[in-house]
Every structure is written in C-alpha cells, then in structure tokens.
C-alpha cells in the first residue's frame, strides 16, 4: 500500500527572479494532512549565494517591505546546512511529500534548484502542485480569471500575508486544504 501524501505548502523569499544569479533568502514550509491538520513546520533564513546579487526590481520592492526584509535577514544560515536540514525534515514526514505553492512555478524553481545544488536530491521528485491551477479546476474558471479576490471567502482563514515565508506557507496551505475539502465533499 502506498504511503499517504503530505501536502507541504511552501513559500520562499528571494532577491531576484531566478536561482543562481540571485538567492533564496528565506524558506518556509507547512506540512498538512489531507484533512487539513497542520502537522509540522520548517523555516530557515539563508545566506546569499557567492557571486549572486539582488535584482534591481526585486530590491526596489524589498525597500517597500522593511519588516519582511528584516525578518528574512535575521540569523541567516549556510544554504548547504539549511537545505540538508530541510531534506531531513521532509524525510521524517508521515507520508510522501507533495510540494504545494502559490505560484508553484516560482517557489518550486528555487526549492528544487537549492535541493539539487546542496543535497543532490529532491524528496519532491520533479513535480509541484500549483494552488491557482487547482482553484481553476475546482471553480471551473479560466486560468487568468482565477485570482484570490475571485475565490470564495469561505476558503480563506484568518492568516496574515506578511511576506514572511513561514507565515505565507501556513496561509497558502490552509487555503489549499479548504479547496481540497470542498472538492472531496462533492
């Protein structure tokens, strides 16, 4: 019998649009069971990559978010050590980890790159579940019109969207679990 899936809602904060030339500054993940139970969290702030630099447009945006910037620069760790801890954390979860994000295309790019670069393996394999795409399927809407403001309010809990990676991962995970519950109840 296959192990159950654990939905690992993940958010990253970065200093640019792609890994390598730019760095992942913070990583937050919240692990949820299918029934919406939050079972564990992981969070780490990372040192920047050698030779990488902040993208001008991203750094301009960060200038408007001083509290979030301060939060993601507090006690940064060596990426190799942090990603090894993260890989180990994922492997202790009570099921197969499924990467979940909003938008998955951005967050997964960084997490996958960092996992392969610093640990040589991705416990998520090569795939990610995009919350917006899942909402599109549940609602039967077009992709571009599927935005948070058009989603049912009943899907949203009382969580901050602070641009602090762990806060945002918890918020997004609860949103996904509400969608999952609604789809399963049909």
């Amino acid at each position: 019998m296959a192990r159950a899936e654990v939905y690992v809602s993940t958010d990253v904060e970065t200093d640019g649009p792609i890994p390598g030339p730019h760095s992942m500054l913070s990583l937050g993940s919240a692990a949820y069971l299918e029934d919406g139970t939050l079972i564990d969290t992981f969070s780490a702030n990372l040192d920047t990559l050698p030779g990488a630099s902040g993208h001008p447009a991203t750094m301009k945006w960060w200038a408007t978010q001083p509290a979030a910037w301060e939060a993601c620069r507090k006690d940064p760790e060596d990426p190799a050590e942090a990603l090894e801890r993260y890989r180990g954390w994922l492997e202790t979860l009570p099921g197969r980890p499924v990467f979940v994000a909003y938008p998955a295309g951005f967050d997964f790019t960084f997490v996958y790159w960092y996992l392969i670069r610093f640990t040589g393996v991705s416990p998520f394999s090569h795939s990610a579940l995009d919350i917006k795409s899942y909402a599109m399927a549940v609602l039967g809407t077009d992709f571009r019109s599927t935005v948070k403001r058009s989603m049912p309010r009943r899907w949203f809990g009382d969580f901050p969207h602070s641009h602090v990676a762990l806060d945002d991962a918890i918020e997004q995970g609860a949103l996904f679990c509400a969608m999952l519950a609604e789809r399963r109840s049909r």
Side-chain angles (χ1 to χ4, degrees):
M1 178 181 258
R3 289 190 324 158
E5 294 178 332
V6 174
Y7 298 103
V8 182
S9 175
T10 301
D11 185 71
V12 302
E13 300 301 333
T14 72
D15 66 4
I18 59 172
H22 311 291
S23 300
M24 179 165 56
L25 304 174
S26 186
L27 166 64
S29 287
Y32 286 88
L33 297 178
E34 182 179 325
D35 68 3
T37 302
L38 175 62
I39 57 171
D40 203 2
T41 62
F42 179 93
S43 181
N45 291 334
L46 309 175
D47 289 328
T48 57
L49 297 169
S53 62
H55 187 277
T58 305
M59 299 314 293
K60 184 177 178 182
W61 178 84
W62 273 117
T64 70
Q65 306 293 320
W69 176 258
E70 183 179 331
C72 78
R73 297 296 67 219
K74 184 178 180 184
D75 302 322
E77 299 178 51
D78 177 89
E81 293 172 15
L83 271 291
E84 190 59 42
R85 268 192 325 107
Y86 184 59
R87 184 194 55 76
W89 176 79
L90 290 167
E91 291 174 355
T92 67
L93 295 175
R96 296 181 61 194
V98 176
F99 189 95
V100 178
Y102 193 125
F106 180 78
D107 298 273
F108 187 72
T109 299
F110 274 88
V111 173
Y112 183 79
W113 190 94
Y114 269 73
L115 279 167
I116 297 302
R117 168 70 178 86
F118 293 110
T119 74
V121 66
S122 172
F124 299 114
S125 187
H126 305 288
S127 60
L129 196 159
D130 180 60
I131 295 171
K132 179 177 175 152
S133 299
Y134 192 78
M136 174 190 168
V138 171
L139 295 171
T141 54
D142 294 332
F143 183 76
R144 297 281 180 212
S145 63
T146 307
V147 293
K148 287 183 179 178
R149 71 179 171 275
S150 69
M151 293 176 191
R153 294 295 92 195
R154 66 184 174 275
W155 288 356
F156 294 87
D158 187 24
F159 300 98
H161 189 81
S162 62
H163 299 295
V164 172
L166 184 56
D167 290 349
D168 293 356
I170 292 169
E171 173 205 22
Q172 294 167 173
L175 171 64
F176 171 72
C177 287
M179 292 177 199
L180 186 63
E182 186 164 312
R183 189 195 60 81
R184 290 192 189 282
S185 72
R186 291 182 184 167

